[in-house]
Amino acid sequence: MSTFASTAPAAKTSGSSAAPARARSGTRRGLLRWLFVAPALAYMALFFGYPLIRNIVMSFQHYTPKTYFTGEAPFNGLDNWRAVFADELFAGSLWHTALFTLGSLLGQFTIGLALAVFFSRRFRLSGFVRAILLLPWLVPMVVSAVVWRRILDQDHGMLNSALHAVGLTEGGVPWLNSPGVALLSAVLVNIWIGIPFNMVILYGGLQEIPRELHEAASLDGASPWRTFRSVTLPMLRPVVTVVLVLGFMSTVKILDLILALTSGGPADSTQTLGTVTYQLSFLQLDFGQGAVVGNVLILISAVFAVLYLRANRADFGKGQ
Amino acid sequence: MATVALSLTGCAATPAPDTVTVLNSATDTAEHTANQKFFDRCAGPLGLKVEQISVPADQVASKALRMASSKSLTDILELDGSELPQFAGTEGLRPLKDVGVDTSGFSGSATSLGSYHGTQYGIARSVNSLALIYNTKLLKEAGVEPPTTWAELKTAAKRTTHGSTYGMAFSASPNADGVYQFLPFFWSGGGDEAKLDNGKGEAALQLWKDLVSDGSASKSVVSWNQQDVNDQFVSGRAAMMINGPWQVPVLSAQKKVDWAVARIPVPEAGQDAIPPIGGTVMAVPKSEDSAREKNAGKILNCLNTRKNQLQWGESVNNVPTRAAAARAYAEQNPKLAAFADLVTTARSRTAQVGTRWPVVGDALAGAFQSVLTGRTSPEQALHRAQQQASKGK
């Protein structure tokens, strides 16, 4: 911290006195601007930049428990990267992460939006029901997972009993016991967890849309669907971007839900980038290889962050 | 930049010279208090105090590593036996004989649990293992004796399966629990964790597969941890289960199910069961100050007297590691005698593969998970497991 504080004032005195006054006040103003930004920059460098760089460096090192005792982590070139990319578990986890993220976002967003539109009309008890719908968001992830494990139990689970009762299945769907179904079950549980977040933010966005627009549309004889497509959705766009990006960021690195629900099983069918990082770093104690998978996650998130910033810039452009 | 980060991590102040610090997983209040009672009993006469730092069991290793990097490791480190090689391999632990710890008179398996490359770094006060726990009423109703061989196990499981009750329950989860439960079958069938594809481990995979395919065990075993298995047994949904002595308090507290303990069935009559040995070991990290190490050694000696081991074993339902204490334990707890016997033939998971155990264990988990879910044959599964286990060797 002190290093930044001491360099900034030191730079201040370097303005040469021979320079014209205007130029000097210009540099001073520039310096002042930097001074205001400095604390934020220092914070970012310390708490985001440093760990990021450490993680990238670590992925090129043989970093094991011994490192913690001796402080030595010999560089081993691309060994960690080769080992991780050669592992079929990694390829599988990439694919599972993609499916899980896409499925979760699609479900959460669609159902969240439908509920938001439904509740945007005023009716009795709507506030109460909305509050009830927030529950999945309030319950700790691990608790949800434990309850869902019971519901999805193949022999005695509520879901199979219900499906059997209405005659949809013979009962005995192996929700968490079959490699073909377990990832779908994880997606379903995650959709249930994510609906409230999507609903609340989108509901907020809907409240911001002026009512006159909807009235004008209906005067022009637009159908409800046409109104939704041509008025509601375009006006919601900035909010939609925010919801999707935040949802993506929290879904792509999923760990706790999977660990509590399936531990990555059965037969590695629910391993994601998050669980593989956890396995490599904290179970096999190979921190170098764990860092490789962590870096892949960072890269994926960075790509989406850039897309988000660009989309936002476009919005700002329109707004002015 | 680095200096800034270092100043932020901070260094723990060195504890007072008469205080011995311990890192363990006794986060549960009752367990923490029981631990402290034994520590105080040992430290008092030596003019010392003991301070416990407790974190959840799955965080002990990472916490210890973080402490090591800031040179603030505790004087005694209590790790899970399967984690010991990782720490001994760093050369950051002191061999126990160098700090005056008496390691004679212990059962071979307990010595093996605390050893790495022939040197003993960790001492176990008590150990656990696995046995067959069965519902006496259900077996009697079906007219079967507790099974001793794999063939008898299959028959007994089939005959005790009806309605919503399965004959057999075990954990085949893709993590440490499942691996722990698979080992007794894998080992007694002749499986070898150093050479998974030696052609002998398939029989154990086939046994598990058969139990599930003929409906004697639930398909959910692939997601059950050892706690889930116990829940099934207590609710009467399983006539037999594989589990450890740590479940005894729960089993004793419930009134619904009458239970008894037997050895884990073996492939052929007359063979010895080879269950895995589990439990924690206490190690002494290297310190700049040899007086601190000596104090830690004295505390360990006192915790492991025959009397203290016996009392400790009874308080945590685990078997004492001194042969004499184990015999006394079996006499005083006839219901748990089977566990006391098993511990004499039990095997340490890390004796052969040392620091590679986490990778080997993962490979084994992959094998039984893919066989139980019908993805591969036992032979293919172990062939692939060996490839995974020998990666980066």
Side-chain angles (χ1 to χ4, degrees):
Chain A
M1 191 75 242
S2 56
T3 46
F4 294 102
S6 62
T7 51
K12 223 185 198 171
T13 56
S14 65
S16 98
S17 55
R22 187 180 302 173
R24 201 165 52 205
S25 75
T27 45
R28 182 166 301 167
R29 192 175 303 155
L31 274 173
L32 263 176
R33 277 186 200 154
W34 277 110
L35 263 181
F36 276 109
V37 179
L41 271 183
Y43 174 83
M44 293 281 289
L46 199 59
F47 290 101
F48 295 97
Y50 175 72
L52 189 72
I53 289 162
R54 286 282 301 131
N55 204 55
I56 291 169
V57 172
M58 201 191 263
S59 66
F60 296 100
Q61 289 176 306
H62 187 59
Y63 207 104
T64 60
K66 201 166 185 159
T67 308
Y68 286 87
F69 283 87
T70 60
E72 291 162 16
F75 282 94
N76 60 0
L78 288 171
D79 286 4
N80 295 332
W81 292 81
R82 270 195 215 101
V84 167
F85 284 112
D87 191 349
E88 49 193 79
L89 185 61
F90 174 74
S93 72
L94 256 179
W95 175 236
H96 300 153
T97 307
L99 284 177
F100 182 86
T101 309
L102 202 73
S104 295
L105 286 185
L106 209 69
Q108 286 173 8
F109 181 77
T110 319
I111 301 174
L113 182 61
L115 285 169
V117 171
F118 179 71
F119 283 111
S120 62
R121 282 172 303 169
R122 300 231 150 57
F123 55 91
R124 280 178 68 180
L125 289 183
S126 78
F128 174 73
V129 179
R130 257 200 347 248
I132 295 280
L133 280 171
L134 287 186
L135 271 179
W137 201 6
L138 300 174
V139 179
M141 186 83 93
V142 176
V143 176
S144 308
V146 169
V147 173
W148 274 100
R149 273 187 68 194
R150 290 227 175 125
I151 296 172
L152 298 170
D153 186 84
Q154 190 172 347
D155 299 320
H156 309 281
M158 257 163 45
L159 184 59
N160 277 344
S161 312
L163 288 173
H164 185 62
V166 295
L168 273 175
T169 64
E170 291 291 296
V173 180
W175 294 109
L176 298 173
N177 302 334
S178 156
V181 190
L183 190 65
L184 174 71
S185 304
V187 169
L188 290 176
V189 175
N190 198 44
I191 287 175
W192 177 84
I193 290 171
I195 286 170
F197 168 77
N198 283 267
M199 183 185 83
V200 167
I201 309 270
L202 292 168
Y203 178 83
L206 287 173
Q207 300 301 308
E208 295 295 304
I209 299 173
R211 289 181 157 262
E212 297 83 8
L213 288 178
H214 283 122
E215 280 162 20
S218 60
L219 282 175
D220 288 343
S223 67
W225 170 240
R226 179 67 206 269
T227 312
F228 178 75
R229 229 182 34 182
S230 307
V231 178
T232 313
L233 267 187
M235 295 295 287
L236 261 186
R237 231 197 74 175
V239 181
V240 168
T241 319
V242 170
V243 164
L244 286 180
V245 169
L246 288 179
F248 175 85
M249 296 279 180
S250 63
T251 311
V252 80
K253 63 176 169 50
I254 194 81
L255 171 71
D256 44 5
L257 173 69
I258 303 270
L259 280 187
L261 204 61
T262 62
S263 305
D268 291 332
S269 61
T270 53
Q271 292 274 17
T272 59
L273 290 171
T275 60
V276 171
T277 309
Y278 172 80
Q279 196 170 315
L280 287 170
S281 291
F282 296 107
L283 298 178
Q284 303 188 358
L285 301 178
D286 191 327
F287 300 93
Q289 288 191 18
V292 171
V293 186
N295 286 334
V296 171
L297 262 176
I298 291 170
L299 192 71
I300 293 172
S301 299
V303 167
F304 275 81
V306 168
L307 288 176
Y308 165 67
L309 286 173
R310 294 193 63 151
N312 252 9
R313 201 170 297 152
D315 283 332
F316 283 133
K318 277 203 194 103
Q320 280 162 2
Chain B
M1 192 76 245
T3 51
V4 179
L6 270 182
S7 65
L8 277 176
T9 53
C11 278
T14 314
D18 65 344
T19 306
V20 176
T21 52
V22 182
L23 177 67
N24 62 16
S25 63
T27 45
D28 176 72
T29 313
E31 194 187 347
H32 196 87
T33 315
N35 253 312
Q36 196 63 46
K37 197 179 80 188
F38 279 86
F39 283 134
D40 291 346
R41 182 190 298 175
C42 281
L46 297 166
L48 298 168
K49 283 201 291 283
V50 174
E51 204 177 291
Q52 294 183 73
I53 300 164
S54 301
V55 296
D58 57 353
Q59 290 167 31
V60 173
S62 46
K63 174 85 179 170
L65 289 176
R66 281 201 303 277
M67 286 176 151
S69 67
S70 62
K71 300 273 179 277
S72 60
L73 250 177
T74 50
D75 302 315
I76 295 174
L77 176 58
E78 186 171 8
L79 295 160
D80 188 80
S82 63
E83 290 167 340
L84 181 89
Q86 304 281 359
F87 281 82
T90 65
E91 290 161 29
L93 300 180
R94 194 62 78 190
L96 289 180
K97 63 175 180 3
D98 295 2
V99 288
V101 177
D102 171 29
T103 53
S104 58
F106 284 73
S107 66
S109 52
T111 306
S112 158
L113 184 71
S115 299
Y116 176 69
H117 287 200
T119 307
Q120 196 173 347
Y121 293 95
I123 190 165
R125 280 194 281 177
S126 65
V127 285
N128 66 59
S129 188
L130 291 169
L132 181 81
I133 298 174
Y134 61 96
N135 182 319
T136 48
K137 185 166 141 274
L138 288 181
L139 261 67
K140 196 172 280 164
E141 281 171 4
V144 287
E145 288 294 303
T148 57
T149 64
W150 287 5
E152 287 173 11
L153 173 66
K154 278 196 213 175
T155 318
K158 212 176 177 104
R159 288 178 55 182
T160 46
T161 299
H162 54 80
S164 66
T165 301
Y166 287 102
M168 179 72 182
F170 52 88
S171 162
S173 62
N175 47 33
D177 272 21
V179 176
Y180 197 59
Q181 296 227 335
F182 181 62
L183 285 173
F185 297 100
F186 181 72
W187 276 335
S188 61
D192 179 358
E193 67 272 29
K195 197 174 179 318
L196 299 171
D197 53 357
N198 71 349
K200 300 235 174 79
E202 284 82 349
L205 287 172
Q206 193 60 51
L207 171 73
W208 271 22
K209 174 93 184 137
D210 291 347
L211 285 167
V212 172
S213 353
D214 74 6
S216 309
S218 167
K219 288 193 173 66
S220 301
V221 291
V222 292
S223 59
W224 281 346
N225 59 31
Q226 300 187 103
Q227 191 54 54
D228 297 325
V229 171
N230 202 54
D231 292 345
Q232 294 292 320
F233 183 81
V234 168
S235 64
R237 286 179 184 163
M240 297 178 279
M241 69 165 172
I242 302 292
N243 230 317
W246 61 88
Q247 302 289 13
V248 167
V250 183
L251 291 167
S252 305
Q254 53 85 42
K255 293 280 171 280
K256 278 195 296 193
V257 172
D258 287 329
W259 55 280
V261 183
R263 290 177 175 220
I264 293 188
V266 288
E268 303 289 337
Q271 288 177 318
D272 265 336
I274 314 173
I277 190 160
T280 58
V281 296
M282 289 186 170
V284 180
K286 284 179 181 170
S287 153
E288 317 261 298
D289 182 352
S290 65
R292 301 198 72 91
E293 291 181 7
K294 292 261 185 322
N295 285 342
K298 284 177 195 159
I299 300 273
L300 291 186
N301 273 335
C302 165
L303 290 173
N304 287 289
T305 59
R306 179 173 170 276
K307 189 175 125 226
N308 281 342
Q309 269 208 357
L310 184 57
Q311 284 192 7
W312 174 254
E314 289 187 332
S315 75
V316 292
N317 287 296
N318 277 358
V319 183
T321 49
R322 281 191 182 282
R327 276 196 298 277
Y329 177 84
E331 281 161 22
Q332 290 173 26
N333 305 279
K335 218 168 174 176
L336 301 181
F339 284 113
D341 294 345
L342 284 173
V343 166
T344 54
T345 56
R347 198 183 279 179
S348 158
R349 284 161 286 176
T350 56
Q352 280 205 71
V353 293
T355 53
R356 289 184 39 251
W357 172 249
V359 178
V360 174
D362 259 349
L364 266 178
F368 61 69
Q369 284 254 312
S370 64
V371 169
L372 287 175
T373 53
R375 287 206 153 179
T376 50
S377 69
E379 201 179 337
Q380 282 171 308
L382 283 172
H383 182 71
R384 206 177 124 233
Q386 180 55 33
Q387 282 178 332
Q388 281 178 314
S390 50
K391 245 187 0 210
K393 234 202 291 190

